Amino acid sequence: FPVTIRPGRGLLKDTRIGIKLVSINEVFESLNLPLMPDYQNVQLCEKLKVVNNKIKKLDELDYPVYVEPKVDGVRLLAVKTNSTVKLYSRNQKELTNFPELVEYLSKIDYETFVLDGEVLSDDYYLLMTRTHRKDDKAAKVPIRFACWDILKLNNVEIHKRPMLERRADLTAHFSIYENDMFQILENTICHTPEEVQNEFNRRLKEEYEGIIVKQNAPYIFDRSKFWLKAKPNCTSDLKNVYRDWE
């Protein structure tokens, strides 16, 4: 019998009746229907174990890998549809307190795109304040969008491609738009565990939080072993103090 699929608001993310998008896509796939990409979710990292600033199990990765500095800001997806740009947090909340970024991305000469990255500022506290509420002082803090991935461009579903191809597409189509507001986050291609460790050491000296290691795989709208983060382990020596209150 004929089936008409009209994706509504509930199919943009997990439905309120408890049906997850992944389950919907399993049904669609069994019916040979096109899958629904969830452009309000993001790919998240699993953790690499770090002991004394040495990353463990790097020999288990599929090389080459792509290593980026771990930046500290506000994760978001920038979604342009019909010349309208909306920003979404990793928790699927629309962010409306970055109008200058929306204005700039709206001027980029593509009808549709989906970009993944992070909003950064030199003042992290004011950035957090600005993200979550209206604040006159916070509204004046300069921001920039560090973009590291592209998921869709002019109705082409790029998220299905491996990391190397997505990165090439991002550079080819968006590098000409780089300025103080929009920047493609630099990455380094590493071919051995030693190169990854050296990159980790270098980024720590540059005062980054750590690194993100990405394997050459499609984009996954969930937490994934294909993206791994490494941060230095922090330890503290505590002194047990006893006080007799009597």
Side-chain angles (χ1 to χ4, degrees):
F1 57 93
V3 177
T4 301
I5 302 296
R6 295 187 177 91
R9 185 176 182 181
L11 292 183
L12 292 178
K13 52 184 177 180
D14 299 342
T15 64
R16 294 182 179 180
I17 60 174
I19 303 175
K20 291 184 175 295
L21 184 70
V22 64
S23 301
I24 295 172
N25 273 333
E26 287 176 356
V27 174
F28 278 25
E29 187 173 17
S30 68
L31 296 173
N32 293 320
L33 294 171
L35 304 186
M36 295 288 297
D38 186 356
Y39 288 131
Q40 291 179 317
N41 281 335
V42 297
Q43 182 160 348
L44 299 174
C45 298
E46 292 188 357
K47 293 182 180 180
L48 283 166
K49 186 176 182 179
V50 180
V51 179
N52 296 326
N53 283 351
K54 298 295 183 182
I55 307 175
K56 300 297 184 179
K57 298 185 178 181
L58 287 177
D59 57 335
E60 298 180 4
L61 302 183
D62 186 13
Y63 290 88
V65 296
Y66 307 85
V67 181
E68 299 168 353
K70 187 179 185 308
V71 294
D72 192 13
V74 178
R75 179 76 177 273
L76 63 77
L77 286 182
V79 181
K80 185 177 183 182
T81 306
N82 298 325
S83 301
T84 299
V85 172
K86 291 188 177 183
L87 309 177
Y88 295 96
S89 73
R90 57 175 285 180
N91 298 318
Q92 305 177 352
K93 178 181 178 182
E94 183 177 355
L95 301 176
T96 60
N97 288 352
F98 303 116
E100 68 271 46
L101 178 57
V102 170
E103 180 181 4
Y104 182 74
L105 294 177
S106 298
K107 296 177 181 178
I108 292 180
D109 193 23
Y110 298 111
E111 182 178 351
T112 63
F113 58 71
V114 180
L115 303 175
D116 188 9
E118 198 142 338
V119 173
L120 305 176
S121 173
D122 293 335
D123 191 320
Y124 181 79
Y125 173 76
L126 285 181
L127 176 63
M128 293 299 104
T129 301
R130 178 177 180 181
T131 302
H132 300 292
R133 67 175 185 268
K134 299 290 185 181
D135 182 280
D136 291 340
K137 183 179 180 181
K140 298 177 182 178
V141 61
I143 62 168
R144 58 192 181 278
F145 181 44
C147 180
W148 56 61
D149 217 328
I150 180 170
L151 312 184
K152 184 176 183 177
L153 181 64
N154 287 345
N155 295 318
V156 177
E157 303 293 349
I158 296 176
H159 67 91
K160 301 177 182 178
R161 300 175 182 175
M163 178 70 195
L164 177 61
E165 294 183 25
R166 299 200 310 275
R167 182 74 184 199
D169 285 329
L170 177 62
T171 302
H173 294 286
F174 286 86
S175 60
I176 61 172
Y177 296 103
E178 288 189 277
N179 59 9
D180 292 340
M181 177 70 64
F182 175 83
Q183 298 158 9
I184 297 176
L185 186 65
E186 61 178 315
N187 73 355
T188 303
I189 299 178
C190 295
H191 297 85
T192 65
E194 291 75 19
E195 290 180 359
V196 175
Q197 182 65 55
N198 291 338
E199 189 68 10
F200 179 69
N201 298 340
R202 180 171 78 92
R203 294 304 185 182
L204 292 185
K205 289 180 180 179
E206 294 174 350
E207 299 185 349
Y208 284 98
E209 285 191 321
I211 59 172
I212 305 295
V213 181
K214 298 181 178 180
Q215 300 181 79
N216 193 30
Y219 192 97
I220 307 296
F221 295 94
D222 203 344
R223 194 170 300 278
S224 167
K225 65 180 181 180
F226 297 118
W227 285 17
L228 302 165
K229 61 182 176 182
K231 297 173 62 176
N233 54 314
C234 299
T235 60
S236 298
D237 294 326
L238 302 178
K239 182 179 180 181
N240 186 19
V241 178
Y242 172 80
R243 182 170 182 175
D244 189 350
W245 292 96
E246 295 182 359

